[in-house]
């Protein structure tokens, strides 16, 4: 008797839906992070103003701004044009931003500490989504590369923000 091998393959529609969820959420995270860190750039003050304003927050928000376009374009190629909807992007980004205190209402040290939480949350999101997309077979080589490159860039901000908060928060690095 000959063995029959049955391979279950998720349909393209299942992959597309998982990719749609990923891209929609990631675009929202990038938009939220851009806006929040741009606000931090303007709201920082005090002794560390010059360094925070130019070398920390400007670097971070510019990084996010530079990544958004490529993510949207890759998402449109893999999922569809609906990812380019600014209303959907901003509505979702607003929900994310509202989970964190506004830079304009907290101290300079709290801005850095909150920013550190934000970048760690974004890295955790990327790691979780990477595993999910890889497990279900929806992770293309190009998306794998994009996610890894972004996580690498964002991890640099963890170092910078930890250093910024280390003395004032008495963090043991």
């Amino acid at each position: 008797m000959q063995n029959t091998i049955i391979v279950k393959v998720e349909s393209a529609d299942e992959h597309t839906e998982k990719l749609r969820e990923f891209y929609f959420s990631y675009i929202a995270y990038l938009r939220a992070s851009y806006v929040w860190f741009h606000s931090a750039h303007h709201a920082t003050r005090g002794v560390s103003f010059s360094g925070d304003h130019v070398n920390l927050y400007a670097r971070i928000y510019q990084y996010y701004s530079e990544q958004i376009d490529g993510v949207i374009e890759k998402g449109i190629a893999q999922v569809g044009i609906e990812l380019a909807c600014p209303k959907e992007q901003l509505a979702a980004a607003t929900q994310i931003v509202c989970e964190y205190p506004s830079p304009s209402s907290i101290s300079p040290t709290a801005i850095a500490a909150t920013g550190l939480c934000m970048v760690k949350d974004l890295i955790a999101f990327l790691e979780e989504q990477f595993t999910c997309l890889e497990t279900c077979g929806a992770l293309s080589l190009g998306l794998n590369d994009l996610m890894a490159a972004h996580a690498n860039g964002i991890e640099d901000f963890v170092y910078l923000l930890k250093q910024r908060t280390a003395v004032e928060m008495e963090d043991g690095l």
Side-chain angles (χ1 to χ4, degrees), residues 19 22-23 74 78 130 133-134 138-151:
L19 286 168
F22 162 73
Y23 278 111
K74 184 175 282 297
Q78 290 187 323
F130 183 92
L133 294 171
E134 186 176 48
L139 186 64
S140 68
L141 185 59
L143 182 55
N144 178 321
D145 183 58
L146 180 137
M147 292 173 78
H150 286 191

Side-chain angles (χ1 to χ4, degrees), residues 4 7 16-17 29-30 49 60 67 71 77-78 102 104 106 113 119 169:
T4 304
V7 178
T16 301
E17 190 53 38
Y29 267 107
L30 289 172
F49 171 77
I60 296 172
Q67 304 315 310
V71 171
Q78 290 187 323
S102 172
S104 63
I106 56 179
V119 297
M169 301 293 287

Side-chain angles (χ1 to χ4, degrees), residues 104-123:
S104 63
S105 66
I106 56 179
S107 73
T109 302
I111 292 172
T114 302
L116 179 58
C117 289
M118 287 187 79
V119 297
K120 285 181 173 182
D121 289 348
L122 184 47
I123 291 167

Side-chain angles (χ1 to χ4, degrees), residues 33 46 72 138 152:
S33 297
I72 293 171
N152 186 45

Side-chain angles (χ1 to χ4, degrees), residues 24 28 31 85-98:
F24 183 75
R31 292 264 187 228
C85 178
K87 291 178 184 180
E88 296 293 328
Q89 291 176 14
L90 294 176
T94 298
Q95 290 178 353
I96 293 167
V97 164
C98 287

